[in-house]
Amino acid sequence: MQANQRISSYRMKKKTTEVIKYIIIIVAAFVMLYPLLWIVGASFNRGANESFFFWPHDFTLVGWKESLQAPGWGSAQGYSLLRALWNTMQYVIPHVLLGTFSTLITAYVITRMHFKGKKLVFALIIGTLLMPNTIFRIPMYAFWTTPAISSIWEGNKIPFMGYLPLWLGSTFAVNSFSIFMFIQFFRTIPRDLDEAAYMDGANKMQVLWYVLMPVLKPIVITVALLLFIASFNDYQGPLIYITNAEFFPLSRVLPMLGLDSTNTYAHVYARSIVSVLILIIVFFAAQRYFVGNDADTAIKG
Amino acid sequence: MVGEKKWVPYILLIPWIIGFLLFKLYPFISSFVMSLYERRGRTSTFVGLKNFQLIFDQSTYLGSEFINSLKVTFTYVFVTVPLILIVSLLIAYVLALKIKGVGFFRTSFYMPTVLGANVAIIVLWRYIFEYNGLINQGLKLLGFAPISFLGTAAGAMTSIVLLRVWQFGSTMLIFLNALKNVPETLYEAATIDGASKFRQFFSVTIPMITPIILFNGVMRLVETFQVFNGPVLITNGGPERSTNVINKLIYDIAFLGGDLNVGTAMSWVLFVIIMMFTILIFRSSRYWVHYQD
C-alpha cells in the first residue's frame, strides 16, 4: 500500500518535471524566435505594426514588391542592394576560403608535427585569442591608409581587391579562434589513422587531404560557417575602411535606408529580410554538419 | 616519425608567422608607440604619457567622455556576461535532459546568434524597442505601462543588453557539449544519496563544468568589453551618452575625429582592463574551478 503510494507519487513527480522542462524550453524558444516572426509579419503591414501580434492588420505587398522589383534588386536612394551584396561578398569569399585553409594548416602543424618552439607558438595563439581586436585596429588602419599602400586597394575595381585590408589577414591565419577550434578537433582524432597512412608511404599533405579530411569535414564546415557569419555581419570593419559609396557593403547601405516619404515600414522590413536571406540559407545548409558548437570539445584536456 | 624532414613544419607555419608578426605583433607595439606621441599637422612629437593624463583628466571634455565610457562599458559588461552565462546554462541544462526534438530547439536557439549580429536585424531591433514597438505592446498586453526604452538611460542600456543576451547560442552550445560529458554515474550516485534534481544541479553539474564556465566567462568578457554595433546602430551612444561605450568613443575620436594617438591610448587602457580581469579570473579559478585530471 505504502509502496504503491510512493511509486505513484514518484511517477507524479517525474511527470511534473517532464512537463516543466517542456514548458521552459517552449517558452524560451517562443521568446527567442517571436521577434523574428514579428519582423516577417511587419514586412507585410502598411505602416508601423503597433500590435504585439505578428499578423498584419493592414495587409500589403508593396514592401516586398518594391524591394524585389526595383532595378538592381531594390535600388533605393541611389544604392543598389545587389551591388551591396556583391560588395559584401568581396569581403566574405576570400575571408572564408583563405581563413579556413590557413588556420587548418596551422592547426595541423601544431597538433601533428614535431618541431622546436611548438609550445611558444601554441601559447602565442592562446594569448592572441584573448587579446581585444581594438588594440590592433588603429595601427593597421594607419598602415593601410598611408598613400603608397592605399593606392593598391582603395577603389580598386579588380574583384576582392577593394576589400584587401579586411581579408588579407585571413591569408595568414590571424583568426586564433579558428586555429583553436581545429586544434581541439585534431586532438580527438586517433593518431593510428595517420600512422597507418605513413606505413603505406603517404606524406604529410597526403595524410591531411586523403586520410584526415573526411574526418575533419564537420569542423571545416563549422569554422567556415563561423567565418562566414563573422564577415557577413561585420559592421565596424567596412565602416572604417570602405569610404567610397560604390563599394559599400550591405552593412553600410542598410542603416542608411531608413524610413522616408517613399520607404514605409514594410519596405524597411522586407529589405532587411531579403538581405539576411543568404545568411539564413547558408546557415541551414551548413547546420547539419555543424559540430554542435563553437569550440566543440572546448578545452577538454 | 622516421625520415621526417625537419624544415617541413616551419615551411607550413610561415603564413601564421607572417600573420603573427605583421597583423598582431606589429600593431601591438605600434599602438603603444603611437599612444606616446602627439600629432600636429604632419609632425609627430613624443609626449610621453600625456595622452593618458588627458583621457583621465575629468576636467577636460575628452576626460569626462572617457570616464563616462568606462562606466558605461563596465555596466554593460557586468550585466550582460552573467546574464548570458545564466540563460545559456539554464537552456543547455534543459536541452541535455533528453528532450524530444532537441535538434529543432538547438537550431531555434542558435538562430538569433546568426541573425542578431547582422546590421539589418540590429536596425529593426530599434523599431522593436520603440515606444509603440513589439516589446511595449507585449508589456501592455501583460498589463504593464509602456517604457520609453530609447528615451531613457536605463531603457537604452536594457535594449542593447537584451540584443546581446538574445545571442546566447554559441555559449549555450559549448555548455551543452560539456553537460553531455558529465558522467551519468555521478547523478546516479547523487540520486541514491537522496539529492534532489535541484541539489544535483548545484552539487554535481556546476562543479563538473566549472572549466567550461571559466572558458565561456573569459571569452564573453573579452568580447563584450569591445561592444560596438548595438550602441552605434540602436542608441547612437545616447540618450545623453548613457550608452556611449568605450569602443564607440574610440571610433569617434580616432576614425571620425582623426586623432589616432588618443585613440590608441584609449585602446591600451581597454586592453589593460581586459587583461587585468582575465588574469584576475584565472587567478581566482584555483578556488572554484575543478579539473578532473
Side-chain angles (χ1 to χ4, degrees), chain A residues 8-281:
Chain A
S8 76
S9 104
Y10 173 76
R11 277 196 186 139
M12 273 294 283
K13 232 177 162 181
K14 198 155 187 206
K15 227 176 197 168
T16 336
T17 34
E18 208 51 20
V19 171
I20 289 173
K21 83 183 182 196
Y22 278 101
I23 289 176
I24 291 176
I25 215 77
I26 289 168
V27 168
F30 177 79
V31 171
M32 292 289 287
L33 293 179
Y34 195 71
L36 296 174
L37 185 65
W38 190 83
I39 285 167
V40 174
S43 72
F44 291 103
N45 192 44
R46 206 183 297 275
N49 181 9
E50 294 183 346
S51 154
F52 178 76
F53 302 103
F54 68 91
W55 55 82
H57 45 265
D58 188 0
F59 186 82
T60 177
L61 279 174
V62 68
W64 279 92
K65 259 191 190 153
E66 290 186 11
S67 288
L68 295 170
Q69 273 175 359
W73 169 50
S75 163
Q77 293 166 23
Y79 297 107
S80 154
L81 286 192
L82 199 60
R83 160 132 229 134
L85 176 66
W86 161 240
N87 288 337
T88 300
M89 286 302 143
Q90 297 197 54
Y91 174 10
V92 171
I93 293 169
H95 182 74
V96 171
L97 296 181
L98 297 167
T100 310
F101 180 76
S102 64
T103 53
L104 171 66
I105 297 291
T106 307
Y108 179 56
V109 174
I110 290 168
T111 48
R112 288 298 210 257
M113 294 184 195
H114 304 277
F115 61 95
K116 264 185 200 152
K118 189 186 204 163
K119 280 206 167 129
L120 176 70
V121 172
F122 185 72
L124 288 175
I125 288 169
I126 298 301
T128 49
L129 182 68
L130 298 172
M131 284 186 60
N133 267 324
T134 309
I135 197 114
F136 308 124
R137 200 168 280 129
I138 294 173
M140 288 320 291
Y141 173 81
F143 166 76
W144 284 111
T145 52
T146 44
I149 304 289
S150 77
S151 65
I152 298 171
W153 62 274
E154 204 164 18
N156 193 328
K157 292 222 163 77
I158 300 169
F160 312 117
M161 282 303 284
Y163 276 79
L164 192 68
L166 292 164
W167 59 257
L168 188 66
S170 23
T171 316
F172 301 109
V174 291
N175 199 321
S176 302
F177 194 67
S178 304
I179 303 177
F180 177 69
M181 287 177 67
F182 276 129
I183 288 178
Q184 293 300 328
F185 198 90
F186 269 118
R187 284 182 177 166
T188 64
I189 305 173
R191 272 172 188 268
D192 314 359
L193 218 57
D194 313 32
E195 303 293 343
Y198 291 129
M199 294 295 166
D200 295 341
N203 68 30
K204 288 279 175 198
M205 280 299 122
Q206 285 167 331
V207 168
L208 179 60
W209 292 131
Y210 299 112
V211 182
L212 295 176
M213 215 38 171
V215 190
L216 288 168
K217 201 172 157 192
I219 192 72
V220 169
I221 290 174
T222 304
V223 168
L225 178 67
L226 292 176
L227 289 174
F228 180 91
I229 295 170
S231 51
F232 193 92
N233 286 347
D234 186 12
Y235 174 59
Q236 198 176 5
L239 185 64
I240 290 167
Y241 284 106
I242 311 299
T243 49
N244 184 342
E246 203 187 321
F247 285 84
F248 277 1
L250 284 170
S251 68
R252 293 286 321 257
V253 171
L254 283 165
M256 289 189 286
L257 302 178
L259 299 166
D260 63 18
S261 52
T262 51
N263 284 289
T264 65
Y265 276 95
H267 288 92
V268 175
Y269 282 105
R271 228 171 7 230
S272 298
I273 295 167
V274 171
S275 74
V276 295
L277 272 183
I278 291 198
L279 198 56
I280 296 172
I281 292 167

Side-chain angles (χ1 to χ4, degrees), chain A residues 17 21-22 24-26 28-29 31-36 38-39 49-53 102 105-106 109-110 112-117 121 124-125 128-144 168-169 171-177 179-180 191 195 198 204-205 226 229 232-233 235-236 239-240 250-251 254-255 258-259 265 268-269 272 275-276 279-280 283-284 287 290 292-301, chain B residues 1 4 6 8-10 12-20 22-28 30-31 34 90-91 94-95 97-100 103-115 117-121 123-128 130 132-134 137-138 141 166-168 170-171 173-174 177 181 197 211-212 215 218-220 222 226 228-229 232-233 247 250-251 254-255 260-261 263-264 267-268 270-271 274-275 278 282 293:
Chain A
T17 34
K21 83 183 182 196
Y22 278 101
I24 291 176
I25 215 77
I26 289 168
V31 171
M32 292 289 287
L33 293 179
Y34 195 71
L36 296 174
W38 190 83
I39 285 167
N49 181 9
E50 294 183 346
S51 154
F52 178 76
F53 302 103
S102 64
I105 297 291
T106 307
V109 174
I110 290 168
R112 288 298 210 257
M113 294 184 195
H114 304 277
F115 61 95
K116 264 185 200 152
V121 172
L124 288 175
I125 288 169
T128 49
L129 182 68
L130 298 172
M131 284 186 60
N133 267 324
T134 309
I135 197 114
F136 308 124
R137 200 168 280 129
I138 294 173
M140 288 320 291
Y141 173 81
F143 166 76
W144 284 111
L168 188 66
T171 316
F172 301 109
V174 291
N175 199 321
S176 302
F177 194 67
I179 303 177
F180 177 69
R191 272 172 188 268
E195 303 293 343
Y198 291 129
K204 288 279 175 198
M205 280 299 122
L226 292 176
I229 295 170
F232 193 92
N233 286 347
Y235 174 59
Q236 198 176 5
L239 185 64
I240 290 167
L250 284 170
S251 68
L254 283 165
L259 299 166
Y265 276 95
V268 175
Y269 282 105
S272 298
S275 74
V276 295
L279 198 56
I280 296 172
F283 173 65
F284 275 103
Q287 67 115 18
F290 209 42
N293 65 48
D294 262 354
D296 187 37
T297 37
I299 52 170
K300 237 197 269 170
Chain B
M1 261 142 270
E4 189 182 322
K6 277 217 168 84
V8 171
Y10 297 106
L12 292 174
L13 266 187
I14 285 176
W16 178 82
I17 294 167
I18 294 175
F20 177 75
L22 285 185
F23 293 86
K24 306 266 160 145
L25 193 63
Y26 159 70
F28 182 71
S30 174
S31 69
M34 280 174 85
L90 187 75
I91 300 289
V94 179
L95 280 182
L97 292 174
K98 296 185 193 84
I99 290 259
K100 276 186 196 118
F104 167 77
F105 285 114
R106 214 174 45 193
T107 309
S108 308
F109 290 124
Y110 202 77
M111 236 10 228
T113 305
V114 177
L115 294 175
N118 188 279
V119 168
I121 302 298
V123 171
L124 298 186
W125 197 254
R126 194 166 60 202
Y127 296 144
I128 285 175
E130 267 179 347
N132 283 321
L134 171 66
Q137 299 297 347
L141 214 63
W166 192 44
Q167 308 163 44
F168 65 74
S170 315
T171 318
L173 290 177
I174 296 171
N177 203 63
N181 291 331
K197 282 264 184 243
I212 311 297
F215 174 80
V218 170
M219 292 302 289
R220 291 313 117 201
V222 175
Q226 303 177 72
F228 183 77
N229 294 4
V232 172
L233 288 163
N247 209 0
I250 292 173
Y251 172 77
F255 297 106
L260 297 183
N261 301 88
T264 49
S267 312
W268 262 85
L270 180 63
F271 167 68
I274 293 176
M275 279 303 120
T278 310
F282 275 110
D293 24 48

Side-chain angles (χ1 to χ4, degrees), chain A residues 132-134 137 235-236, chain B residues 69-70 72-78 80-81 84 122 157 159-165 167 219-235 243-251 270 274:
Chain A
N133 267 324
T134 309
R137 200 168 280 129
Y235 174 59
Q236 198 176 5
Chain B
S69 78
L70 282 180
V72 170
T73 310
F74 273 101
T75 313
Y76 176 83
V77 170
F78 290 108
T80 308
V81 174
I84 294 177
I122 300 173
M157 182 59 83
S159 70
I160 58 169
V161 166
L162 287 182
L163 173 66
R164 184 59 193 84
V165 176
Q167 308 163 44
M219 292 302 289
R220 291 313 117 201
L221 197 79
V222 175
E223 178 220 303
T224 50
F225 260 117
Q226 303 177 72
V227 59
F228 183 77
N229 294 4
V232 172
L233 288 163
I234 298 173
T235 59
T243 53
N244 208 18
V245 293
I246 184 163
N247 209 0
K248 184 179 179 298
L249 183 66
I250 292 173
Y251 172 77
L270 180 63
I274 293 176

